[in-house]
Amino acid sequence: MDRFPRHSWSPDRPDIQTLLAMAPVVDAGLIVGASNYVFLAALEDADAGRGYAIYKPRRGAAALWDFPPDLHRREYASYVVSEALGWRIVPPTIVREEGLEHGVGSLQLYIPHDQHHTFFDLRERFPAAMQRFAVFDWLTNNADRKAGHVILDAGEHLWGIDHGLTFHVEEKLRTVIWDYAGIVIAPELLSDVKRLAAQLFDGVIARQLRDYLAPAEVERLAERAAAILRAGRLPEPPRDRRPYPWPLT
């Protein structure tokens, strides 16, 4: 299996969630260098052909002193929020229990990309998209937005990957995207956050998230959405804790 394939299923396929959930996994290779056990899985469907996904098994994640277990659930919850906002930041993601060699985990569609591109060389070309990332990371309380976690596909759409360290009840925002600190958030982004906020108390999105996050984490998500709407500006880096992930890339 190619370690980094050049082609995969399109994220725009209307059946992409079904393919991720049902297509047999025919091969899987460990991605060397990841902090947890992460696999590039090849899936085969009779009609759709071969596609690839990033598989993060529950039992492959190292225990963390400052985060509860089940990081794979946070990967999926981040996708749910991304889709509810309409921002398409997180590639199609599911939690799958069947047909995986190492047990239940998240499967996220692999997006072919040039790994030499990171936030640091993309930010000048895509300032509006990067500001959207900054709002998304504040909203989801992302504690691990490294530069390499922003990728560019062949159609020049930016995607965000690696969202296991999200939704903590304590403030944990650690990101390389502080370029826009203090700027006014675009009205269309605030409108999207407002629409999401209305669904976080008693709606389909709230019910979806409660299946994967603790009640207090969903509550804090709603509170952060309200804080974003009140502030109307992106936050400054905190001075009482480390604002950057490590390593940066």
Side-chain angles (χ1 to χ4, degrees), residues 106-186:
S106 61
L107 268 188
Q108 183 172 94
L109 180 69
Y110 174 75
I111 304 291
H113 60 283
D114 184 342
Q115 296 184 34
H116 293 96
H117 288 306
T118 72
F119 164 75
F120 292 129
D121 65 277
L122 294 170
R123 57 186 166 185
E124 298 298 329
R125 290 173 58 192
F126 303 97
M130 294 306 183
Q131 291 174 38
R132 190 182 304 123
F133 268 77
V135 177
F136 181 77
D137 287 342
W138 182 13
L139 179 64
T140 59
N141 201 15
N142 190 353
D144 195 35
R145 176 64 73 197
K146 296 183 174 72
H149 294 176
V150 179
I151 64 175
L152 181 68
D153 71 13
E156 298 221 316
H157 179 81
L158 291 174
W159 298 93
I161 58 173
D162 284 337
H163 294 100
L165 300 185
T166 46
F167 300 106
H168 202 288
V169 293
E170 299 175 10
E171 292 303 317
K172 295 282 188 179
L173 181 60
R174 293 192 291 263
T175 174
V176 296
I177 310 179
W178 289 111
D179 304 53
Y180 314 105
I183 72 161
V184 174
I185 299 171

Side-chain angles (χ1 to χ4, degrees), residues 55-236:
Y55 168 38
K56 296 184 177 182
R58 178 185 186 275
R59 66 187 187 191
L64 300 173
W65 70 269
D66 62 341
F67 259 85
D70 293 339
L71 301 187
H72 67 289
R73 291 172 172 259
R74 299 168 191 278
E75 296 276 1
Y76 177 67
S78 297
Y79 170 71
V80 170
V81 172
S82 170
E83 289 296 289
L85 290 164
W87 292 356
R88 297 187 75 230
I89 284 177
V90 182
T93 306
I94 66 164
V95 171
R96 181 164 163 172
E97 299 185 5
E98 304 294 333
L100 299 172
E101 182 180 356
H102 301 285
V104 61
S106 61
L107 268 188
Q108 183 172 94
L109 180 69
Y110 174 75
I111 304 291
H113 60 283
D114 184 342
Q115 296 184 34
H116 293 96
H117 288 306
T118 72
F119 164 75
F120 292 129
D121 65 277
L122 294 170
R123 57 186 166 185
E124 298 298 329
R125 290 173 58 192
F126 303 97
M130 294 306 183
Q131 291 174 38
R132 190 182 304 123
F133 268 77
V135 177
F136 181 77
D137 287 342
W138 182 13
L139 179 64
T140 59
N141 201 15
N142 190 353
D144 195 35
R145 176 64 73 197
K146 296 183 174 72
H149 294 176
V150 179
I151 64 175
L152 181 68
D153 71 13
E156 298 221 316
H157 179 81
L158 291 174
W159 298 93
I161 58 173
D162 284 337
H163 294 100
L165 300 185
T166 46
F167 300 106
H168 202 288
V169 293
E170 299 175 10
E171 292 303 317
K172 295 282 188 179
L173 181 60
R174 293 192 291 263
T175 174
V176 296
I177 310 179
W178 289 111
D179 304 53
Y180 314 105
I183 72 161
V184 174
I185 299 171
E188 61 270 23
L189 300 184
L190 290 175
S191 177
D192 293 337
V193 173
K194 185 176 182 179
R195 189 182 67 252
L196 172 70
Q199 302 176 66
L200 288 176
F201 291 98
D202 188 23
V204 174
I205 301 304
R207 290 193 290 273
Q208 273 185 282
L209 291 173
R210 286 184 194 123
D211 286 339
Y212 294 92
L213 300 175
E217 291 170 337
V218 179
E219 224 173 88
R220 289 291 291 122
L221 173 62
E223 290 171 2
R224 284 192 300 274
I228 290 169
L229 295 173
R230 282 195 307 272
R233 293 176 180 271
L234 284 161
E236 300 285 347

